[in-house]
Amino acid sequence: MGDPKDLRDQLMEKVNEVKEHFKEALAELKNLEDLKRIRARFIGPKGEVSELMKSLKTLPKEIVRELGRSLNQLKEEISKHLSELEKKLGEEILRKRLLEERKDLSVRYKPTYTPSIHPLTRIMRELKEVFMGLGFEVVEGPELEEEYYNFDGLNIPSDHPARDMWDSFWVRPGYLLRSHTSPVQVRVMTTRKPPFKVVSLGKCYRRDDLDPTHSFQFHQIEGFIVDKGITFAHLKGVLMEFASRVFGGKRKVKLIPSYFPFTEPSAEVAIDCFRCGGKDPHCPICKGEGWIEVLGAGMIHPNVLSNAGISPQEWTGFAFGMGIERIAMLKYQIDDIRLFYENRLDFLKQFSA
Ligand code: FA5
């Protein structure tokens, strides 16, 4: 055996060489496989550090103690370094995989048609635009309504027979799901001073059975003007303009006498058939009659104005309320109201243009 000091120096040099090798190996590391290989090469049972440890066995105690400590320290450092790297690599690999999977999902998703706007949303947007173009402002009213606004304020006291027709879902005494959009008239009249020119669109509820033209939940658009000198002629003019903007061409409007407790006189309004003009006895829209009923309307009843604190001597107004599903059915030639709510793709994709 040579001089212990030389031996110690030689071994220390080897320890430093192992450190250098480790650094070099790390510079080449690319993935978890490389990391496994490096761990085995340096601190595995037959690794460089372990071999050096084995070579200490035959050496004097003081060298074994000193070098043993350095080698243990080196082994610990390598092990710690590799564990940290392993964690980082693992996270990176996971992140990459997730990104790839995400990319994959979008690659596999091939819509078979262009997604579309629901026909009711589409017609509501169009109606809003048409009436805004005619100078109306759009306001919203609550679907859960107070009895007063739904009935009493509209000249329908609790013993009035018209309540039956518009009775709805009572949530608790005094509160119901509104049965029409007309309560918005009362809300606006009681909170603002005329003149006003308003439309309001939204859901209504009635205890009606489902059939091709009725649903327990449907949509209406309410329109009303209160100003000085408003007459039936203004109502007719607005409705003719609405009809020609929504259904195209110059449309004729027919007023048929009717009854609503909150308008006097009242009318049902029909427009001339934009499909056949009454010439096709098999027309799916007018059935050959030439006229299509679209809404209820009339001059706002003086009681409604005075209930809201507006003088009927000074102000007059008209109001109309139409079923939005009805307008969409006419415009898009849809023969069953239930199609709007069933979310069937074959129906909806027709509106993707
Ligand atoms: C009213 O609801 C009145 N508030 C309209 C009104 C407003 C008149 C302002 C005068 C002045 P009516 O019950 O007729 O009226 O309903 C109006 C429209 O709502 C009907 O023409 C129809 O298109 C639609 N509608 C009514 N009930 C249903 C239902 N169950 N399902 C689908 N649409 C309905």
Side-chain angles (χ1 to χ4, degrees):
M1 196 179 292
D3 182 352
K5 193 169 175 305
D6 286 348
L7 260 175
R8 179 195 160 278
D9 289 347
Q10 276 171 25
L11 282 166
M12 272 318 269
E13 209 167 296
K14 280 203 174 156
V15 173
N16 287 334
E17 268 172 27
V18 172
K19 283 185 187 170
E20 277 306 306
H21 291 164
F22 181 62
K23 267 191 206 159
E24 285 162 16
L26 281 189
E28 306 277 299
L29 182 143
K30 286 192 190 70
N31 50 37
L32 282 173
E33 291 306 307
D34 291 348
L35 191 136
K36 253 191 213 166
R37 234 173 284 122
I38 293 173
R39 182 177 275 134
R41 177 181 158 191
F42 291 95
I43 53 175
K46 290 193 175 153
E48 292 188 22
V49 177
S50 314
E51 290 303 320
L52 268 177
M53 284 222 180
K54 282 179 206 158
S55 71
L56 295 182
K57 274 183 195 161
T58 52
L59 298 176
K61 264 190 187 161
E62 63 274 17
I63 298 182
V64 172
R65 211 176 297 131
E66 188 192 349
L67 280 170
R69 208 181 302 129
S70 299
L71 282 171
N72 273 333
Q73 211 175 322
L74 178 63
K75 191 174 176 183
E76 225 167 86
E77 276 170 23
I78 291 178
S79 164
K80 199 170 153 211
H81 200 98
L82 289 177
S83 297
E84 278 167 14
L85 274 176
E86 193 171 26
K87 196 170 157 225
K88 259 194 215 159
L89 271 175
E91 282 167 4
E92 208 165 294
I93 287 166
L94 185 66
R95 201 169 51 83
K96 264 195 200 150
R97 198 179 301 154
L98 287 177
L99 278 175
E100 271 163 22
E101 276 172 10
R102 198 164 65 180
K103 224 189 288 162
D104 245 352
L105 274 182
S106 61
V107 168
R108 263 182 254 127
Y109 175 65
K110 279 196 191 142
T112 49
Y113 67 97
T114 318
S116 58
I117 302 287
H118 192 279
L120 284 178
T121 308
R122 192 158 140 174
I123 197 82
M124 282 197 271
R125 287 184 183 172
E126 187 177 336
L127 288 172
K128 268 188 208 168
E129 252 171 51
V130 164
F131 283 105
M132 281 161 73
L134 295 174
F136 285 76
E137 69 172 299
V138 181
V139 306
E140 274 189 40
E143 284 173 35
L144 178 56
E145 188 53 281
E146 289 176 40
E147 180 176 3
Y148 178 79
Y149 294 107
N150 200 75
F151 292 124
D152 304 77
L154 285 167
N155 204 27
I156 316 174
S158 55
D159 58 355
H160 197 293
R163 278 219 180 188
D164 254 8
M165 186 169 61
W166 285 310
D167 215 353
S168 169
F169 303 97
W170 291 85
V171 176
R172 60 185 150 103
Y175 291 88
L176 74 166
L177 294 176
R178 67 178 176 190
S179 41
H180 48 174
T181 42
S182 298
V184 180
Q185 288 184 41
V186 185
R187 286 188 169 270
V188 172
M189 287 184 213
T190 48
T191 50
R192 290 166 47 175
K193 289 203 179 317
F196 27 68
K197 199 171 172 188
V198 169
V199 285
S200 186
L201 301 84
K203 290 195 184 81
C204 305
Y205 304 82
R206 287 186 197 177
R207 48 172 177 70
D208 286 348
D209 290 332
L210 260 178
D211 68 24
T213 52
H214 292 86
S215 164
F216 46 84
Q217 181 212 277
F218 58 99
H219 297 74
Q220 281 188 345
I221 174 170
E222 190 82 7
F224 54 98
I225 295 185
V226 176
D227 206 333
K228 292 191 171 160
I230 295 293
T231 68
F232 232 109
H234 293 112
L235 169 62
K236 195 169 175 185
V238 165
L239 293 176
M240 276 166 74
E241 195 52 36
F242 142 78
S244 57
R245 288 193 191 190
V246 172
F247 298 111
K250 266 222 156 320
R251 302 264 61 91
K252 287 187 202 135
V253 168
K254 182 164 83 167
L255 300 162
I256 307 146
S258 183
Y259 171 76
F260 295 101
F262 37 93
T263 44
E264 178 58 37
S266 305
E268 303 256 301
V269 175
I271 59 166
D272 64 322
C273 180
F274 53 88
R275 185 179 173 275
C276 76
K279 291 188 192 103
D280 175 6
H282 306 293
C283 174
I285 293 181
C286 75
K287 318 266 184 303
E289 285 175 10
W291 293 97
I292 312 155
E293 221 174 270
V294 281
L295 56 101
M299 298 304 290
I300 298 174
H301 197 291
N303 287 356
V304 174
L305 293 171
S306 47
N307 281 346
I310 296 171
S311 162
Q313 278 75 41
E314 202 181 334
W315 303 94
T316 50
F318 69 70
F320 60 84
M322 60 181 128
I324 293 178
E325 279 82 352
R326 191 68 57 84
I327 302 295
M329 286 168 85
L330 291 171
K331 177 148 181 169
Y332 305 130
Q333 305 196 12
I334 296 164
D335 58 10
D336 195 321
I337 198 169
R338 290 169 284 205
L339 288 164
F340 290 121
Y341 318 118
E342 284 170 350
N343 287 331
R344 276 169 42 186
L345 277 183
D346 55 347
F347 170 71
L348 294 174
K349 69 185 178 188
Q350 298 176 71
F351 299 90
S352 60

